[in-house]
């Protein structure tokens, strides 16, 4: 995985809480990651005088693809993504392990990360990875199509990247995700610090959807199911011992879904 130059990453808010990512390489050449809405992305591209050269789509949900027709009408560039996104406008189907050569930006490696959807992809470029709705900052996507086993395997694959890799995810969910993380691990001081840091970022109007894998491993419960303290907390939630990682992950996911339901009351 090579980059032509260290890219500049721009985070563009779209819809209510989605992000589109712009990866700016040499001479304004730019890759667009996901396409939930076109107008704010076009405005960001024009104001920065960027030059789109490709689009990468993580998965087929509308809030990641519905801006694609307008984006491609404006910028007729190749659109790479999973097979299920064909009707949404993907014209270059990508599979796990595929390398996508993008002149002036670099070589992007596709990583299959199913669980949220069956053919969800993440994209690795140098020390950055774009994770869509698989690994979130301090959380993970809900299991709409896939299984807990698939999502755990996907998160393990992402966690195997270098610790100084920066993840960039598809939603501004960090505050809510950390509320659950602090509930599940009340004695984890790094989670408490991240709660404070995230609140300051949000108060300043800044996005919090990027973080290093090192930070995620310390504070994201979905990357920590093998930690004894969290495992005991999951067992307490379930009311019985768990000796299987997939079962622990599935129960943690249930626990968060329960917690979110209660939080909405
Ligand atoms: Zn989604």
């Amino acid at each position: 995985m090579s980059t032509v130059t260290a890219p500049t990453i721009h985070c563009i808010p779209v819809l209510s809480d989605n992000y589109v990512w712009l990866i700016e390489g040499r001479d304004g050449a730019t890759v667009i990651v996901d396409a939930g809405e076109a107008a704010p992305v076009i405005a960001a591209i024009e104001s920065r005088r960027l030059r789109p050269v490709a689009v990468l789509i993580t998965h087929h949900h509308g809030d990641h693809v519905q801006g694609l027709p307008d984006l491609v009408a404006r910028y007729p560039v190749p659109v790479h993504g999973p097979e299920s996104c064909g009707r949404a406008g993907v014209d270059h189907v990508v599979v796990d392990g595929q390398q996508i050569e993008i002149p002036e930006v670099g070589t992007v490696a596709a990583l299959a990360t199913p669980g949220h959807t069956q053919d969800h992809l993440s994209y690795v470029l140098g020390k950055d990875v774009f994770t869509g709705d698989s690994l979130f900052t301090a959380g993970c996507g809900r299991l709409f199509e896939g299984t807990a086993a698939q999502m755990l395997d996907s998160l393990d694959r992402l966690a195997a990247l270098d610790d100084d890799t920066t993840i960039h995810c598809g939603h501004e969910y960090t505050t809510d995700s950390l509320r659950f993380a602090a509930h599940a691990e009340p004695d984890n001081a790094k989670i408490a610090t991240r709660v404070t840091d995230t609140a300051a970022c949000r108060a300043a109007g800044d996005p919090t959807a990027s973080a290093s894998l090192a930070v995620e491993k310390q504070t994201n419960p979905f990357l920590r199911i093998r930690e004894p303290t969290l495992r005991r907390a999951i067992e307490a939630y379930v009311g019985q011992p768990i000796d299987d990682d997939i079962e622990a992950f599935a129960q943690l996911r249930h626990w968060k879904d329960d917690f979110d339901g209660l939080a909405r009351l």
Side-chain angles (χ1 to χ4, degrees):
M1 282 156 271
S2 65
T3 49
V4 173
T5 56
T8 303
I9 312 287
H10 306 280
C11 178
I12 313 301
V14 302
L15 302 174
S16 59
D17 55 24
N18 280 78
Y19 289 123
V20 167
W21 298 94
L22 301 179
I23 312 171
E24 179 185 352
R26 202 170 56 209
D27 301 328
T30 296
V31 174
I32 302 167
V33 183
D34 280 339
E37 191 180 6
V41 179
I42 292 171
I45 288 169
E46 298 303 315
S47 70
R48 292 173 173 83
R49 300 178 184 281
L50 302 177
R51 181 168 50 88
V53 292
V55 179
L56 305 173
I57 297 293
T58 60
H59 68 293
H60 66 76
H61 286 160
D63 60 326
H64 294 256
V65 298
Q66 65 201 14
L68 206 40
D70 288 344
L71 268 182
V72 174
R74 179 73 174 247
Y75 311 114
V77 299
V79 182
H80 306 269
E83 188 170 15
S84 68
C85 298
R87 266 181 304 174
V90 165
D91 52 16
H92 289 62
V93 171
V94 176
V95 297
D96 183 42
Q98 192 170 329
Q99 309 260 320
I100 307 164
E101 302 286 344
I102 304 176
E104 302 169 293
V105 177
T107 304
V108 173
L111 194 63
T113 47
H116 180 71
T117 63
Q118 282 293 351
D119 60 358
H120 188 291
L121 293 171
S122 295
Y123 297 100
V124 184
L125 174 68
K127 292 286 187 178
D128 293 287
V129 57
F130 299 84
T131 57
D133 291 0
S134 57
L135 177 61
F136 284 134
T137 42
C140 78
R142 297 185 69 173
L143 304 175
F144 285 123
E145 296 176 11
T147 64
Q150 283 178 312
M151 184 62 102
L152 176 59
D153 186 56
S154 294
L155 299 193
D156 282 344
R157 298 186 81 192
L158 289 165
L161 298 171
D162 293 342
D163 271 1
D164 60 350
T165 303
T166 302
I167 74 158
H168 308 276
C169 66
H171 287 271
E172 182 59 57
Y173 285 167
T174 322
T175 303
D176 284 347
S177 295
L178 284 172
R179 195 172 295 133
F180 174 70
H183 176 71
E185 286 193 88
D187 298 326
N188 183 328
K190 291 200 162 56
I191 292 175
T193 301
R194 196 172 180 190
V195 167
T196 305
D197 293 348
T198 298
C201 266
R202 295 307 293 149
D206 293 331
T208 65
S210 300
S212 76
L213 262 182
V215 166
E216 290 303 322
K217 288 178 183 177
Q218 292 168 338
T219 56
N220 185 332
F222 294 96
L223 297 182
R224 296 173 55 77
I225 56 143
R226 300 174 182 97
E227 294 290 327
T229 308
L230 180 59
R231 182 65 73 98
R232 283 197 295 275
I234 299 169
E235 290 173 342
Y237 165 75
V238 178
Q240 61 185 42
I242 300 171
D243 57 12
D244 176 71
D245 288 347
I246 294 169
E247 178 65 11
F249 184 87
Q251 293 297 346
L252 181 67
R253 190 58 256 183
H254 283 310
W255 188 7
K256 173 143 194 325
D257 292 344
D258 264 2
F259 181 81
D260 290 345
L262 290 170
R264 275 197 293 273
L265 289 176

PDB file of all heavy atoms in Angstrom, residues 238-250:
ATOM      1  N   VAL A 238     -25.292 -10.810  31.009  1.00  0.00           N
ATOM      2  CA  VAL A 238     -25.975 -12.020  30.538  1.00  0.00           C
ATOM      3  C   VAL A 238     -26.440 -12.885  31.714  1.00  0.00           C
ATOM      4  O   VAL A 238     -27.456 -13.584  31.615  1.00  0.00           O
ATOM      5  CB  VAL A 238     -25.039 -12.842  29.615  1.00  0.00           C
ATOM      6  CG1 VAL A 238     -25.698 -14.131  29.150  1.00  0.00           C
ATOM      7  CG2 VAL A 238     -24.610 -12.010  28.422  1.00  0.00           C
ATOM      8  N   GLY A 239     -25.680 -12.846  32.798  1.00  0.00           N
ATOM      9  CA  GLY A 239     -26.035 -13.648  33.960  1.00  0.00           C
ATOM     10  C   GLY A 239     -25.445 -15.047  33.947  1.00  0.00           C
ATOM     11  O   GLY A 239     -25.884 -15.925  34.688  1.00  0.00           O
ATOM     12  N   GLN A 240     -24.434 -15.255  33.097  1.00  0.00           N
ATOM     13  CA  GLN A 240     -23.755 -16.554  33.082  1.00  0.00           C
ATOM     14  C   GLN A 240     -22.370 -16.416  32.451  1.00  0.00           C
ATOM     15  O   GLN A 240     -22.125 -15.456  31.710  1.00  0.00           O
ATOM     16  CB  GLN A 240     -24.572 -17.603  32.324  1.00  0.00           C
ATOM     17  CG  GLN A 240     -24.816 -17.260  30.874  1.00  0.00           C
ATOM     18  CD  GLN A 240     -25.745 -18.275  30.218  1.00  0.00           C
ATOM     19  OE1 GLN A 240     -26.734 -18.698  30.814  1.00  0.00           O
ATOM     20  NE2 GLN A 240     -25.436 -18.663  28.998  1.00  0.00           N
ATOM     21  N   PRO A 241     -21.472 -17.372  32.735  1.00  0.00           N
ATOM     22  CA  PRO A 241     -20.125 -17.299  32.156  1.00  0.00           C
ATOM     23  C   PRO A 241     -20.167 -17.441  30.633  1.00  0.00           C
ATOM     24  O   PRO A 241     -21.045 -18.122  30.092  1.00  0.00           O
ATOM     25  CB  PRO A 241     -19.391 -18.493  32.778  1.00  0.00           C
ATOM     26  CG  PRO A 241     -20.230 -18.931  33.934  1.00  0.00           C
ATOM     27  CD  PRO A 241     -21.631 -18.539  33.618  1.00  0.00           C
ATOM     28  N   ILE A 242     -19.224 -16.789  29.954  1.00  0.00           N
ATOM     29  CA  ILE A 242     -19.111 -16.881  28.495  1.00  0.00           C
ATOM     30  C   ILE A 242     -17.675 -17.274  28.180  1.00  0.00           C
ATOM     31  O   ILE A 242     -16.753 -16.558  28.574  1.00  0.00           O
ATOM     32  CB  ILE A 242     -19.421 -15.527  27.822  1.00  0.00           C
ATOM     33  CG1 ILE A 242     -20.848 -15.061  28.151  1.00  0.00           C
ATOM     34  CG2 ILE A 242     -19.235 -15.632  26.314  1.00  0.00           C
ATOM     35  CD1 ILE A 242     -21.138 -13.634  27.708  1.00  0.00           C
ATOM     36  N   ASP A 243     -17.496 -18.408  27.491  1.00  0.00           N
ATOM     37  CA  ASP A 243     -16.117 -18.799  27.167  1.00  0.00           C
ATOM     38  C   ASP A 243     -15.834 -18.720  25.676  1.00  0.00           C
ATOM     39  O   ASP A 243     -14.823 -19.207  25.192  1.00  0.00           O
ATOM     40  CB  ASP A 243     -15.805 -20.203  27.714  1.00  0.00           C
ATOM     41  CG  ASP A 243     -16.768 -21.262  27.194  1.00  0.00           C
ATOM     42  OD1 ASP A 243     -17.528 -20.944  26.242  1.00  0.00           O
ATOM     43  OD2 ASP A 243     -16.769 -22.378  27.744  1.00  0.00           O
ATOM     44  N   ASP A 244     -16.722 -18.056  24.944  1.00  0.00           N
ATOM     45  CA  ASP A 244     -16.594 -18.001  23.499  1.00  0.00           C
ATOM     46  C   ASP A 244     -16.574 -16.526  23.063  1.00  0.00           C
ATOM     47  O   ASP A 244     -17.454 -15.751  23.446  1.00  0.00           O
ATOM     48  CB  ASP A 244     -17.790 -18.745  22.877  1.00  0.00           C
ATOM     49  CG  ASP A 244     -17.794 -18.670  21.373  1.00  0.00           C
ATOM     50  OD1 ASP A 244     -16.948 -19.312  20.757  1.00  0.00           O
ATOM     51  OD2 ASP A 244     -18.631 -17.924  20.815  1.00  0.00           O
ATOM     52  N   ASP A 245     -15.572 -16.150  22.254  1.00  0.00           N
ATOM     53  CA  ASP A 245     -15.431 -14.746  21.856  1.00  0.00           C
ATOM     54  C   ASP A 245     -16.624 -14.259  21.034  1.00  0.00           C
ATOM     55  O   ASP A 245     -17.079 -13.125  21.191  1.00  0.00           O
ATOM     56  CB  ASP A 245     -14.147 -14.555  21.037  1.00  0.00           C
ATOM     57  CG  ASP A 245     -12.895 -14.646  21.898  1.00  0.00           C
ATOM     58  OD1 ASP A 245     -13.026 -14.599  23.141  1.00  0.00           O
ATOM     59  OD2 ASP A 245     -11.795 -14.772  21.319  1.00  0.00           O
ATOM     60  N   ILE A 246     -17.112 -15.111  20.145  1.00  0.00           N
ATOM     61  CA  ILE A 246     -18.238 -14.683  19.297  1.00  0.00           C
ATOM     62  C   ILE A 246     -19.473 -14.435  20.152  1.00  0.00           C
ATOM     63  O   ILE A 246     -20.189 -13.442  19.965  1.00  0.00           O
ATOM     64  CB  ILE A 246     -18.520 -15.735  18.200  1.00  0.00           C
ATOM     65  CG1 ILE A 246     -17.331 -15.811  17.235  1.00  0.00           C
ATOM     66  CG2 ILE A 246     -19.802 -15.396  17.441  1.00  0.00           C
ATOM     67  CD1 ILE A 246     -17.386 -16.986  16.276  1.00  0.00           C
ATOM     68  N   GLU A 247     -19.708 -15.326  21.125  1.00  0.00           N
ATOM     69  CA  GLU A 247     -20.853 -15.141  22.021  1.00  0.00           C
ATOM     70  C   GLU A 247     -20.677 -13.863  22.849  1.00  0.00           C
ATOM     71  O   GLU A 247     -21.639 -13.101  23.044  1.00  0.00           O
ATOM     72  CB  GLU A 247     -20.999 -16.369  22.933  1.00  0.00           C
ATOM     73  CG  GLU A 247     -22.121 -16.282  23.953  1.00  0.00           C
ATOM     74  CD  GLU A 247     -23.521 -16.225  23.333  1.00  0.00           C
ATOM     75  OE1 GLU A 247     -23.639 -16.459  22.110  1.00  0.00           O
ATOM     76  OE2 GLU A 247     -24.470 -15.934  24.079  1.00  0.00           O
ATOM     77  N   ALA A 248     -19.466 -13.620  23.300  1.00  0.00           N
ATOM     78  CA  ALA A 248     -19.207 -12.399  24.080  1.00  0.00           C
ATOM     79  C   ALA A 248     -19.481 -11.159  23.229  1.00  0.00           C
ATOM     80  O   ALA A 248     -20.106 -10.197  23.679  1.00  0.00           O
ATOM     81  CB  ALA A 248     -17.766 -12.390  24.584  1.00  0.00           C
ATOM     82  N   PHE A 249     -19.032 -11.201  21.976  1.00  0.00           N
ATOM     83  CA  PHE A 249     -19.246 -10.066  21.084  1.00  0.00           C
ATOM     84  C   PHE A 249     -20.739  -9.874  20.829  1.00  0.00           C
ATOM     85  O   PHE A 249     -21.261  -8.746  20.873  1.00  0.00           O
ATOM     86  CB  PHE A 249     -18.496 -10.286  19.758  1.00  0.00           C
ATOM     87  CG  PHE A 249     -18.594  -9.118  18.826  1.00  0.00           C
ATOM     88  CD1 PHE A 249     -17.679  -8.076  18.908  1.00  0.00           C
ATOM     89  CD2 PHE A 249     -19.608  -9.042  17.885  1.00  0.00           C
ATOM     90  CE1 PHE A 249     -17.780  -6.981  18.063  1.00  0.00           C
ATOM     91  CE2 PHE A 249     -19.710  -7.951  17.040  1.00  0.00           C
ATOM     92  CZ  PHE A 249     -18.791  -6.912  17.118  1.00  0.00           C
ATOM     93  N   ALA A 250     -21.436 -10.973  20.548  1.00  0.00           N
ATOM     94  CA  ALA A 250     -22.884 -10.894  20.275  1.00  0.00           C
ATOM     95  C   ALA A 250     -23.624 -10.306  21.477  1.00  0.00           C
ATOM     96  O   ALA A 250     -24.510  -9.457  21.323  1.00  0.00           O
ATOM     97  CB  ALA A 250     -23.426 -12.287  19.938  1.00  0.00           C
TER      98      ALA A 250
END
